[in-house]
Amino acid sequence: MNAIISASDLARDLAGAHPPVLLDVRWQLTAAKAAGEPPFDGRAEYEAGHLPGAVYVDLDRELAAAPGQGGRHPLPDLAHFGAAMRRAGVSSGTPVVVYDGGQGWAAARAWWLLRWTGHPDVRVLDGGLPSWEGPLDKSVPAPPEGDFVPEPGSTGLLDADAAAALARSGVLLDARAGERYRGEVEPIDPVAGHIPGAVSAPTTENVGADGRFLPAGELRARFKGLGVTEGSRVGVYCGSGVSAAHEVLALAAAGLPAELYVGSWSEWSSDPDRPVAVGPDPQ
């Protein structure tokens, strides 16, 4: 099953006999708040117009727990996450399509959580809302309660120790911007730099100018150039486990399985005992 879906294929599926559940996960990093601007309001954006039948999902409240020692977007309480998914109409036997405002990070976080907790059929709308050419709706649907119960997988998730080990034994990709990886700037977290042994792999390089994923062959070539080959054990981290989920999605689109370090740099850098590397060299 492909991890992404085009807008045209989604329109076809929505018109079919078994339409997918639609989740709208519009979200942006709240850096604007520090500049004195109002924070991004995903729910307000949703209420101003969304794909017909889509249910809004709040990344900060339903796809993550409160910030703390586990990072800025730690795993949500799974009972809370499951209840949110059921309220949105998610059932194990019904396909799910997730979209956001176009960046793809938030949608990928929802995709990863649903896949990791056992949903068999989840895809992300390639290009997000801007790729949709059909009508938008302002009404808020009340879907029938779903039956999805999260059952975490035994693989796919890394903690700090496992990420450190994977940086030595496999390939650990850092999905943040290159300047954050190199330690030149750090606008959010307490320490600048990267996990020793990690390879810089900005998630922005997985998409084209239109925000859609590069073709699978180009993605495979990109990851091969970063040291990922078939059979490699691959992990990904970012600042707080959101943009890294987008890189895991890109790897999946390329046919390459990968694991996510959810705590990411926000957790790693909060522990003064964890080593930090700076500069372009992974070590």
Side-chain angles (χ1 to χ4, degrees):
M1 184 194 72
N2 199 344
I4 58 176
I5 185 171
S6 68
S8 58
D9 284 349
L10 175 58
R12 180 202 63 207
D13 288 358
L14 289 171
H18 302 287
V21 170
L22 289 177
L23 303 181
D24 183 312
V25 197
R26 273 178 274 183
W27 170 88
Q28 287 182 12
L29 194 64
T30 54
K33 197 183 295 185
E37 301 172 10
F40 177 82
D41 189 337
R43 184 173 291 279
E45 295 287 326
Y46 166 82
E47 292 174 351
H50 52 81
L51 268 63
V55 175
Y56 178 70
V57 174
D58 189 313
L59 185 148
D60 289 316
R61 293 177 175 84
E62 296 172 322
L63 304 181
Q69 289 186 338
R72 284 183 280 110
H73 289 102
L75 284 176
D77 174 83
L78 291 183
H80 179 71
F81 168 66
M85 293 299 97
R86 291 189 293 275
R87 281 196 302 272
V90 174
S91 292
S92 296
T94 304
V96 177
V97 172
V98 191
Y99 71 91
D100 58 24
Q103 188 179 44
W105 296 3
R109 171 73 175 223
W111 166 84
W112 180 84
L113 267 172
L114 282 165
R115 292 292 292 149
W116 178 65
T117 55
H119 198 289
D121 190 349
V122 190
R123 289 172 289 175
V124 169
L125 175 59
D126 196 12
L129 187 65
S131 71
W132 180 253
E133 297 180 353
L136 299 180
D137 191 5
K138 293 184 179 181
S139 63
V140 178
E145 183 92 356
D147 65 15
F148 178 68
V149 177
E151 296 181 359
S154 59
T155 61
L157 175 67
L158 299 172
D159 61 13
D161 289 340
L166 185 54
R168 304 299 182 191
S169 64
V171 182
L172 182 65
L173 301 177
D174 184 319
R176 298 172 302 159
E179 59 268 26
R180 289 184 71 191
Y181 169 87
R182 294 187 296 271
E184 297 165 0
V185 299
E186 183 43 68
I188 305 171
D189 294 313
V191 179
H194 60 267
I195 296 174
V199 177
S200 181
T203 198
T204 52
E205 296 179 15
N206 295 322
V207 298
D210 59 0
R212 302 182 193 186
F213 281 104
L214 300 175
E218 292 183 29
L219 288 172
R220 281 193 292 272
R222 163 170 158 73
F223 292 121
K224 183 178 180 180
L226 295 170
V228 178
T229 58
E230 286 191 26
S232 297
R233 188 179 172 202
V234 185
V236 188
Y237 75 95
C238 59
S240 66
V242 178
S243 66
H246 187 270
E247 187 128 294
V248 173
L249 176 61
L251 284 153
L256 301 166
E259 299 169 273
L260 177 65
Y261 173 25
V262 171
S264 284
W265 189 248
S266 59
E267 178 188 40
W268 184 279
S269 62
S270 67
D271 183 348
D273 292 331
R274 295 279 179 194
V276 172
V278 296
D281 190 321
Q283 305 307 321

